[in-house]
Amino acid sequence: MQRRTLLQLAGAASLPGLANLALAQDKYPSKAITWICPYAAGGNADIRSRQVAKAMSALLGQPIIIDNKAGAGGNIGTEAIARGKPDGYTLGMGNLAPLSVNHALFKKLNFDPFNDITPIVLIEKGPLILMVRNDSPYKTLKDLVAAAKASPGKIIYASGGIGGSHHLSGSLFEHAVGVDMIHAPYKSGSAAATDLMGGQVDFMFEQMYAAMPSIKAGKMRALGITSKTRSTLLPDLPTMTEQGFAAVEVLNWQGLVGPKGLPADLVKMLNAVGNKALQDPDLRQKITSQGNEVGGGTPEAFAALIKAEAPRWAKVVRDAKIEPE
């Protein structure tokens, strides 16, 4: 047996079944692994991909190379994952939009999110925050709702693009209030936040990790959070449910996936490696410091989450008559 394989097996001795799988699968992994990220470099999906890949690479003893394939709401990169050879050398980040939303949003997908993708392990879930600029006349969520009802079709909410979690959260809120609002889609969440700060729009639902710096700096005011319970990072911020909008419970999630046909023992091993990586204190701190929940668990639990989310968001897309750009 080659020295590298011996070192890999020794370094991963604590992972269930890894040593046996390495022997059975021609010493997997024996070369670099490609990790496809369906979003552009510098965003949260890309950053988290690199962080998790680094931790898993140390456990597997092989490089994991990030390949950004952005576009079409995550569809391009997710299709590339789906078309990969099921040998464990093409993996990627699976996200809420391409796996549970886009089947209802786009008239045609070149992949089946439920049959062409193999869920491996959930990496994280993260809430969104409804925020307004710090000098906004809306001091509370009640103020915003009252203004929307007083002037239907006048209140504008921003998003980072049609069909994303920003937009879907805003659409849920709009329907929960029962008053028409104007949706202003931008090319990115940061562009939307910039115009919110400049007064061009009235509010937006922003990912917590992106919202926190502006809130701490006093540039934005948080009016509600979309998680089931309050965040320890903002303990005084009430949830949307507490404020009478239980329908606006949203957690943006992402996890490790591969193409269909991955052997069951390989999925089991990669799941074990992923779970082990998520126990790394530095990685956990990076996730939780942004207000996100650390994932983990079985492939079956991740698959169940994807399937459970799909009908909910399909209804939102239908009810709001959302169409892709």
Side-chain angles (χ1 to χ4, degrees), residues 204-257:
M204 75 174 290
F205 284 88
E206 177 62 291
Q207 303 290 343
M208 189 170 184
Y209 71 86
M212 285 299 293
S214 296
I215 293 171
K216 288 182 176 180
K219 297 177 180 179
M220 296 288 190
R221 180 187 302 128
L223 302 185
I225 188 169
T226 65
S227 50
K228 184 174 292 186
T229 59
R230 296 192 184 195
S231 170
T232 55
L233 298 184
L234 294 170
D236 295 328
L237 179 63
T239 67
M240 297 299 292
T241 298
E242 287 179 79
Q243 300 182 81
F245 298 97
V248 193
E249 184 183 314
V250 183
L251 288 175
N252 193 35
W253 48 260
Q254 53 189 357
L256 179 62
V257 299

Side-chain angles (χ1 to χ4, degrees), residues 34-57 64-69 81 91-95 123-124 254-257 277 283 286-287:
T34 296
W35 178 306
I36 296 172
C37 175
Y39 296 93
N44 185 60
D46 171 69
I47 292 170
R48 193 71 77 230
S49 291
R50 294 177 190 278
Q51 293 168 346
V52 177
K54 180 181 178 181
M56 291 184 64
S57 175
I64 300 180
I65 300 167
I66 307 300
D67 182 8
N68 297 92
K69 293 185 180 296
I81 298 170
L91 304 173
M93 188 67 97
N95 306 79
I123 292 173
E124 67 179 343
Q254 53 189 357
L256 179 62
V257 299
L283 178 56
K286 285 182 169 67
I287 293 173

Side-chain angles (χ1 to χ4, degrees), residues 10-319:
S14 61
L15 299 176
L18 180 54
N20 290 337
L21 185 65
L23 293 172
Q25 295 289 330
D26 191 26
K27 306 181 184 67
Y28 176 88
S30 59
K31 61 181 181 179
I33 297 168
T34 296
W35 178 306
I36 296 172
C37 175
Y39 296 93
N44 185 60
D46 171 69
I47 292 170
R48 193 71 77 230
S49 291
R50 294 177 190 278
Q51 293 168 346
V52 177
K54 180 181 178 181
M56 291 184 64
S57 175
L59 294 169
L60 291 169
Q62 287 289 348
I64 300 180
I65 300 167
I66 307 300
D67 182 8
N68 297 92
K69 293 185 180 296
N75 289 343
I76 292 173
T78 307
E79 180 185 350
I81 298 170
R83 293 183 180 277
K85 187 177 179 181
D87 57 3
Y89 291 101
T90 298
L91 304 173
M93 188 67 97
N95 306 79
L96 166 67
L99 294 184
S100 291
V101 179
N102 290 354
H103 72 287
L105 182 60
F106 289 81
K107 293 181 179 179
K108 180 183 179 182
L109 290 182
N110 293 323
F111 64 94
D112 181 340
F114 312 115
N115 295 305
D116 293 344
I117 294 291
T118 299
I120 297 172
V121 64
L122 178 68
I123 292 173
E124 67 179 343
K125 294 180 180 179
L128 292 89
I129 291 177
L130 193 166
M131 61 183 194
V132 298
R133 64 186 183 278
N134 200 44
D135 62 351
S136 169
Y138 314 123
K139 307 298 184 185
T140 66
L141 188 63
K142 185 177 180 180
D143 292 340
L144 179 60
V145 171
K149 290 184 175 181
S151 302
K154 298 293 186 180
I155 297 295
I156 305 172
Y157 69 94
S159 80
I162 292 177
S165 57
H166 306 106
H167 181 198
L168 296 171
S169 299
S171 182
L172 277 174
F173 179 60
E174 180 182 5
H175 280 259
V177 173
V179 175
D180 286 341
M181 302 180 194
I182 299 173
H183 171 225
Y186 288 78
K187 291 185 178 180
S188 67
S190 59
T194 297
D195 267 13
L196 174 61
M197 202 175 302
Q200 282 76 31
V201 296
D202 296 298
F203 75 94
M204 75 174 290
F205 284 88
E206 177 62 291
Q207 303 290 343
M208 189 170 184
Y209 71 86
M212 285 299 293
S214 296
I215 293 171
K216 288 182 176 180
K219 297 177 180 179
M220 296 288 190
R221 180 187 302 128
L223 302 185
I225 188 169
T226 65
S227 50
K228 184 174 292 186
T229 59
R230 296 192 184 195
S231 170
T232 55
L233 298 184
L234 294 170
D236 295 328
L237 179 63
T239 67
M240 297 299 292
T241 298
E242 287 179 79
Q243 300 182 81
F245 298 97
V248 193
E249 184 183 314
V250 183
L251 288 175
N252 193 35
W253 48 260
Q254 53 189 357
L256 179 62
V257 299
K260 71 175 181 180
L262 278 178
D265 53 357
L266 186 52
V267 173
K268 182 178 180 180
M269 186 270 269
L270 287 168
N271 173 266
V273 174
N275 274 292
K276 182 73 173 178
L278 289 170
Q279 294 305 310
D280 178 80
D282 181 60
L283 178 56
R284 292 182 70 86
Q285 193 276 333
K286 285 182 169 67
I287 293 173
T288 58
S289 67
Q290 296 179 334
N292 295 337
E293 302 173 16
V294 178
T298 66
E300 291 78 15
F302 186 19
L305 171 67
I306 295 170
K307 290 182 179 179
E309 289 274 80
R312 179 196 184 196
W313 293 118
K315 184 177 187 305
V316 173
V317 169
R318 288 195 305 270
D319 290 350

